[in-house]
Amino acid sequence: MPPASRKRNAARAAGLLAATGLLLLVAVASVAVGAKPLPLDQVWHGLFDDAHGEAGVIVREVRLPRTLLGLLAGAALGLAGAVMQALTRNPLAEPGILGVNAGAAAAVVSAITFLGVSSPGGYVWFALAGAAVVSVVVHVLGGSRGATPVRLALAGTAATYALYGYVNSVQLMDSAALDRMRFWTVGSLASATADVIRQVLPFIAAGVLLALALARPLNAMALGDDSARALGTRPARTRVLAMAAVTLLCGAATAACGPIVFIGLIVPHLVRALTGPDQRWILPYAAVLSPVLLLGADIAGRVVARPGELQAGIVTAVVGGPVFIHLVRRRRVAQQ
């Protein structure tokens, strides 16, 4: 390996280590800070000593599951966004472009309205099933083995609009469904429980492993299908596996937290500015820095609206909107 490449990789590795340290700090802050102020000694005591006191209940049963879910969901959304942008070769793509969020939302509102499901733990399986079904449908509509990034994006957009039309119609006809869905649809970590984490963990773990394994094929795909084949990559197989990874990651995160926007869009885009186009670095960086953004948004929502809280999805939307506009404007200027 040339000296310049070794130096560049050493800098990337150091940056990844620093990002991991930042993630640990934010995770600790997520456990220590909440809508109810607690001194640090009470947080420590509640975490390690007194499990049944007020501090123990708050820290162990509320903040700790919330932090763990934020770590899992953030990593899942960031990886899903990075894979989606690599798959479509569009730096402004995000996981919802395949209709995953819409499929999960349609399945959840159907479960609430027609089956009476009322708990977040019950939403998970329906949301995952809805995300998986829509991903298969989008792949078929996009041309199956002959699918291209543009056709997949168009099929996903069409499915998204159709499904959200269904969701809105059902909510308008069923006030109970509207009431139960209104917090889920804005995206929140507030419903985190150990049961929800156990349910989504296998899917997120499988999605993470699959996404990381696709780093080299996605690098080859960035050169175009013909070049990818010349390098030994099978484009159709890579697209199927990439869609499977996005479905597992985004479907599980959406099932547990609701459709949280902009994390899968912004973080991979910013990471690419640090690492360059190599997916072998983009994917790990996205997996580490995306939970930083999600947990940071959750902490901010708990602090600025005390004694209540703002949902994490609202905070990410407020922060992400201006950033997205800036990215679009900069991309437009670069193309002129």
Side-chain angles (χ1 to χ4, degrees):
M1 182 182 294
S5 297
R6 285 199 299 268
K7 185 177 180 180
R8 186 164 53 249
N9 286 338
R12 289 167 173 168
L16 186 59
L17 184 62
T20 303
L22 177 61
L23 176 59
L24 291 175
L25 289 176
V26 173
V28 170
S30 179
V31 175
V33 178
K36 180 179 176 60
L38 286 177
L40 290 179
D41 61 331
Q42 289 190 27
V43 173
W44 181 270
H45 185 64
L47 185 60
F48 295 105
D49 298 324
D50 186 10
H52 302 291
E54 182 185 19
V57 171
I58 291 174
V59 173
R60 292 193 182 195
E61 298 184 15
V62 178
R63 293 185 186 175
L64 188 57
R66 192 167 183 159
T67 301
L68 292 175
L69 183 59
L71 291 171
L72 290 173
L77 292 171
L79 273 174
V83 171
M84 190 71 254
Q85 290 175 14
L87 179 65
T88 60
R89 298 199 284 272
N90 180 359
L92 298 181
E94 54 92 23
I97 200 171
L98 286 184
V100 175
N101 289 348
V108 168
V109 76
S110 298
I112 291 172
T113 302
F114 303 117
L115 300 177
V117 178
S118 59
S119 67
Y123 299 161
V124 170
W125 297 104
F126 290 97
L128 283 167
V133 169
V134 171
S135 293
V136 172
V137 171
V138 167
H139 183 62
V140 172
L141 293 177
S144 193
R145 284 185 171 274
T148 64
V150 173
R151 293 173 69 177
L152 286 174
L154 290 175
T157 301
T160 296
Y161 280 113
L163 289 170
Y164 275 129
Y166 165 77
V167 169
N168 292 333
S169 299
V170 172
Q171 287 180 318
L172 289 174
M173 293 186 295
D174 186 345
S175 58
L178 176 61
D179 186 59
R180 293 174 187 170
M181 285 282 291
R182 61 194 177 100
F183 290 113
W184 186 83
T185 53
V186 298
S188 172
L189 300 178
S191 61
T193 64
D195 184 49
V196 170
I197 292 172
R198 281 194 298 268
Q199 287 178 325
V200 301
L201 178 58
F203 298 98
I204 292 178
V208 168
L209 293 175
L210 180 56
L212 294 177
L214 288 172
R216 289 182 181 276
L218 289 173
N219 277 341
M221 293 281 289
L223 302 174
D225 286 7
D226 292 337
S227 297
R229 291 189 189 94
L231 293 172
T233 297
R234 296 162 59 185
R237 178 175 176 270
T238 300
R239 289 194 183 98
V240 170
L241 293 176
M243 289 183 65
V246 170
T247 300
L248 288 169
L249 293 167
C250 194
T254 302
C257 309
I260 297 178
V261 297
F262 286 119
I263 289 179
L265 167 67
I266 294 173
V267 175
H269 192 88
L270 296 178
V271 163
R272 197 176 295 107
L274 298 174
T275 66
D278 191 342
Q279 297 298 326
R280 293 174 298 176
W281 290 102
I282 290 175
L283 296 177
Y285 264 86
V288 171
L289 289 178
S290 295
V292 172
L293 177 57
L294 180 55
L295 287 176
D298 189 51
I299 294 168
R302 283 183 262 171
V303 171
V304 300
R306 283 175 173 170
E309 66 177 65
L310 287 176
Q311 309 302 318
I314 296 175
V315 178
T316 59
V318 170
V319 173
V323 175
F324 178 68
I325 292 172
H326 170 70
L327 294 176
V328 171
R329 287 175 60 87
R330 191 174 70 175
R331 181 173 173 82
R332 183 176 300 173
V333 169
Q335 290 176 342
Q336 288 178 350

